[in-house]
Amino acid sequence: MRFLFEMNPKSKKNTGLSKNKWQTILIFGFNFLTMKKIILISLAAMLVLASCKKPDPTVQTRLESLIPKPVSVNATGGEFELTAKTIIYVSEGTPELFSIAELMADGWRSATGLALKIEKTKTPPPSGIYLSLGANDKALGDEGYNLTITKRLLSLSANQPAGVFRGMQTVRQLLPAAAESSSLQKGSWKIATASIRDFPTYGHRGFMLDVARHFFSVEDVKRSIDLVSSYKINQVHLHLSDDQGWRIEIKSWPKLTEHGGSTQVGGGAGGFYTQDQYKEIVRYAQERFIAIIPEIDMPGHTNAALASYPELNCNGKAPQLYSGIEVGFSTLCTKKEITYKFIDDVVSEISAITPGPYFHVGGDESHATTKEDYIPFMERVQDIVFAHGKKIIGWDEIAISKLRPEVVAQVWSEAENGKKAIAQGGKILMSPANKIYLDMSYDSTSKLGLHWAAYIEVDSAYQWDPATLVKGIAKENIIGIEAALWSETIKNLNDIEYMVFPRLPGYAEIGWSPESNRNWEEYKVRLGRQAERFRVLNIDYYRSNKVPWQD
Ligand code: TNX
């Protein structure tokens, strides 16, 4: 300041201006120049301050709270923000990525009020969100992804569209939970900068819903698909028939649904999906890169079919419809030709509207079928399903038959059966009832659920590993895991949510994340941080006292 003051008087020589005028100019000149400097300096200081401002801890915490836990996360300390100007770019010639972008933009619109534009691009953009294929990283497989987030650009690349979809589920969890709300929320939509490399441990991560004991509407099934897809589940198995009800329209055997679908446990009205409704469920799941696995349980668990068509019974007489919860009393007549015609028609109609690779043939608890009848029956059923172009999954009992090598045995009860399947060249889907059955009560005070296999609290649900649970069933034998929700005691969507949450995120993590990355003490903290997400999504979850809920 002094320097300036002294400089100016020197230049006043020979200007012919009066002292007064000089004073005015000096004062104004000083003030003007000084002010300009001060403003510039403070602006620069503010910029410096803003750029090294401490990152918002909640934004960074979300990076450490992901479920399932990614293979690797490197935080870089900054923030990327979704604003009204953010554009989602998708690499040209990838229509699947465009659909993913639409799904995500739609999902965020109501809460954020942002109408994110989606544009195709030939070259990577300098800013915005960029979805692309050609990650050129073999280890990512079909579902892995690389996510690189800088302050200006969120770039998500994968080998396949499924990988981009899974990566987007990670992005969803990096945003505030409020972004999931169905009504407009105040907030800034910040994501921590980082690079994440991620891919699943198991290719098959399933959820089963029993729509036979109690029937659930298409809307309920879609909501369930939505919720599980956000934890990177990729298979939804629908248990479509049982003693209490037949739930899918078979055009060549219409009484299956007309009569066999007309009740459920407790005697309620039941219901069924028309083939168009089933196709809609399949489409909805496909949009989320989830395959539907249809199950028609046989030769037991068939009272609804037997009640609809007397000719399927060995004595030719149709039994009454059944609305209790006993198991193991019904069987198709394995000696009659009509039984195989029936199965062929059913498998043919369902396979034609199921794009996924699998058809589940049940095969469990056939206590009313002799072993001598069961074995040749299953062998014939395998040929039928195979002829309709589907791979077979069956409950572990099927392994007492001679299996085709491409058959998958779903181990729920007898590990020995699993080993028999492996010995025949087959693979295993792990669903040990005492660890992963979602219809098992949490503890003795739970109002819902059964407990014949175990009480399964949230910690017990998490603390096991499919590859080491059974001696003789190793990782290379296992295609993955499935969490099954049987619905004897589950009557509505709230009941579904209460049994599925908060256990399912843990199962999803067991299926996705490397075993070496998993630890209950650390996981329970991440799970506790999902509370707000559950609240915003209106999930009616069980507030286990094993979890440090944070809301
Ligand atoms: C056993 S698991 C069953 C189902 C029941 C369930 C109840 C399996 C293959 N069969 O029929 O609904 O227990 O927990």
Side-chain angles (χ1 to χ4, degrees):
M1 244 197 274
R2 181 155 297 150
F3 186 55
L4 262 180
F5 212 164
E6 283 164 1
M7 279 289 287
N8 285 329
K10 275 187 195 163
S11 54
K12 76 179 170 188
K13 273 180 196 161
N14 309 324
T15 58
L17 289 171
S18 72
K19 199 181 172 192
N20 260 354
K21 273 206 175 138
W22 263 113
Q23 267 174 347
T24 322
I25 286 175
L26 270 175
I27 291 162
F28 272 89
F30 156 72
N31 279 353
F32 181 68
L33 284 166
T34 317
M35 294 266 286
K36 210 169 140 187
K37 279 247 162 156
I38 291 173
I39 289 171
L40 280 173
I41 290 168
S42 2
L43 270 177
M46 275 160 68
L47 272 175
V48 171
L49 272 178
S51 63
C52 55
K53 190 182 70 181
K54 270 230 173 116
D56 179 346
T58 58
V59 177
Q60 299 297 319
T61 302
R62 290 197 292 272
L63 200 53
E64 293 149 21
S65 311
L66 294 165
I67 299 179
K69 189 175 188 170
V71 171
S72 84
V73 176
N74 284 308
T76 50
E79 287 168 357
F80 169 94
E81 187 170 0
L82 270 191
T83 69
K85 288 192 198 121
T86 308
I87 296 178
I88 308 182
Y89 297 92
V90 299
S91 53
E92 221 170 51
T94 54
E96 302 99 325
L97 300 195
F98 204 91
S99 314
I100 296 172
E102 283 178 325
L103 205 61
M104 294 304 126
D106 282 352
W108 292 325
R109 188 165 303 133
S110 20
T112 63
L114 305 174
L116 302 181
K117 265 204 273 167
I118 307 169
E119 287 179 11
K120 293 176 197 155
T121 179
K122 280 199 181 102
T123 51
S127 63
I129 295 180
Y130 177 47
L131 311 182
S132 63
L133 296 182
N136 254 327
D137 184 344
K138 234 181 147 197
L140 295 182
D142 288 350
E143 290 185 286
Y145 61 92
N146 275 319
L147 178 58
T148 311
I149 309 164
T150 63
K151 285 175 191 165
R152 300 186 62 206
L153 180 69
L154 182 154
S155 172
L156 175 57
S157 71
N159 296 328
Q160 296 292 333
V164 173
F165 184 84
R166 304 292 174 240
M168 269 302 201
Q169 305 317 305
T170 300
V171 175
R172 276 173 78 181
Q173 287 189 30
L174 291 176
L175 278 166
E180 307 275 334
S181 174
S182 52
S183 60
L184 193 63
Q185 303 292 308
K186 281 208 196 101
S188 61
W189 310 107
K190 288 180 182 163
I191 295 177
T193 62
S195 56
I196 299 180
R197 183 159 185 273
D198 199 15
F199 52 86
T201 293
Y202 292 103
H204 192 118
R205 303 171 310 280
F207 164 67
M208 188 206 87
L209 184 62
D210 173 6
V211 297
R213 270 51 176 274
H214 281 97
F215 180 67
F216 299 98
S217 69
V218 173
E219 284 315 306
D220 291 350
V221 175
K222 283 186 177 177
R223 157 99 170 159
S224 306
I225 289 173
D226 248 342
L227 294 180
V228 302
S229 79
S230 69
Y231 294 97
K232 303 186 172 70
I233 292 293
N234 68 355
Q235 311 282 327
V236 168
H237 165 186
L238 295 175
H239 184 74
L240 290 166
S241 69
D242 213 304
D243 292 319
Q244 299 85 348
W246 186 282
R247 307 300 181 203
I248 181 159
E249 174 190 23
I250 302 295
K251 294 185 198 279
S252 53
W253 296 74
K255 280 189 259 172
L256 288 171
T257 46
E258 277 165 22
H259 185 63
S262 67
T263 192
Q264 61 181 3
V265 167
F272 65 91
Y273 309 120
T274 64
Q275 290 198 3
D276 282 341
Q277 287 174 322
Y278 175 82
K279 283 189 218 164
E280 172 57 15
I281 292 173
V282 166
R283 186 203 62 77
Y284 192 85
Q286 234 172 359
E287 209 172 53
R288 286 151 185 79
F289 296 86
I290 287 179
I292 295 292
I293 302 172
E295 177 186 353
I296 296 298
D297 206 343
M298 58 184 105
H301 290 281
T302 42
N303 190 75
L306 298 168
S308 307
Y309 288 98
E311 57 268 45
L312 299 176
N313 297 270
C314 282
N315 66 4
K317 282 191 200 133
Q320 295 290 301
L321 290 172
Y322 180 70
S323 57
I325 65 166
E326 293 301 312
V327 297
F329 59 88
S330 57
T331 183
L332 292 170
C333 189
T334 60
K335 294 190 178 75
K336 283 184 164 178
E337 247 346 89
I338 186 78
T339 295
Y340 301 95
K341 165 86 174 98
F342 164 74
I343 294 170
D344 190 75
D345 289 341
V346 168
V347 174
S348 157
E349 288 194 32
I350 296 177
S351 297
I353 52 176
T354 303
Y358 289 115
F359 190 99
H360 200 304
V361 297
D364 57 315
E365 299 172 317
S366 294
H367 309 315
T369 324
T370 64
K371 200 171 167 183
E372 293 65 44
D373 289 342
Y374 181 93
I375 290 173
F377 170 85
M378 262 311 159
E379 289 168 4
R380 216 170 145 182
V381 166
Q382 284 183 74
D383 292 340
I384 293 173
V385 174
F386 192 73
H388 289 289
K390 293 294 172 196
K391 293 205 255 180
I392 294 168
I393 305 183
W395 299 106
D396 63 50
E397 291 95 320
I398 62 163
I400 65 168
S401 325
K402 189 162 176 299
L403 298 182
R404 288 171 171 270
E406 50 281 289
V407 171
V408 171
Q410 184 166 8
V411 171
W412 67 282
S413 163
E414 295 297 326
E416 286 312 309
N417 286 334
K419 293 181 205 166
K420 279 184 195 143
I422 292 168
Q424 301 191 62
K427 294 272 189 225
I428 302 300
L429 177 58
M430 287 298 269
S431 292
N434 59 352
K435 283 291 172 193
I436 204 171
Y437 266 20
L438 287 163
D439 67 316
M440 291 298 117
S441 303
Y442 292 98
D443 63 24
S444 62
T445 69
S446 300
K447 285 188 208 80
L448 294 176
L450 308 172
H451 56 268
W452 61 264
Y455 288 113
I456 309 181
E457 247 298 354
V458 186
D459 54 350
S460 156
Y462 183 79
Q463 298 183 88
W464 63 284
D465 184 52
T468 53
L469 190 72
V470 179
K471 218 170 155 242
I473 303 184
K475 182 152 187 271
E476 63 266 25
N477 307 125
I478 300 173
I479 63 165
I481 64 170
E482 182 183 281
L485 181 58
W486 299 99
S487 64
E488 285 93 333
T489 67
I490 310 303
K491 299 191 180 74
N492 53 45
L493 186 60
N494 282 350
D495 293 352
I496 293 180
E497 292 178 1
Y498 189 81
M499 298 309 268
V500 171
F501 288 94
R503 288 182 289 200
L504 182 112
Y507 297 138
E509 179 152 308
I510 293 175
W512 181 282
S513 308
E515 207 275 325
S516 55
N517 251 356
R518 293 200 287 107
N519 165 298
W520 164 252
E521 292 302 323
E522 185 266 344
Y523 170 73
K524 74 178 180 190
V525 176
R526 283 185 285 128
L527 182 58
R529 293 190 188 127
Q530 298 275 314
E532 206 193 332
R533 216 154 274 280
F534 295 166
R535 182 182 56 77
V536 171
L537 289 169
N538 253 317
I539 300 175
D540 190 14
Y541 68 102
Y542 163 62
R543 244 179 119 83
S544 165
N545 62 17
K546 308 264 179 196
V547 181
W549 298 110
Q550 288 188 25
D551 48 1

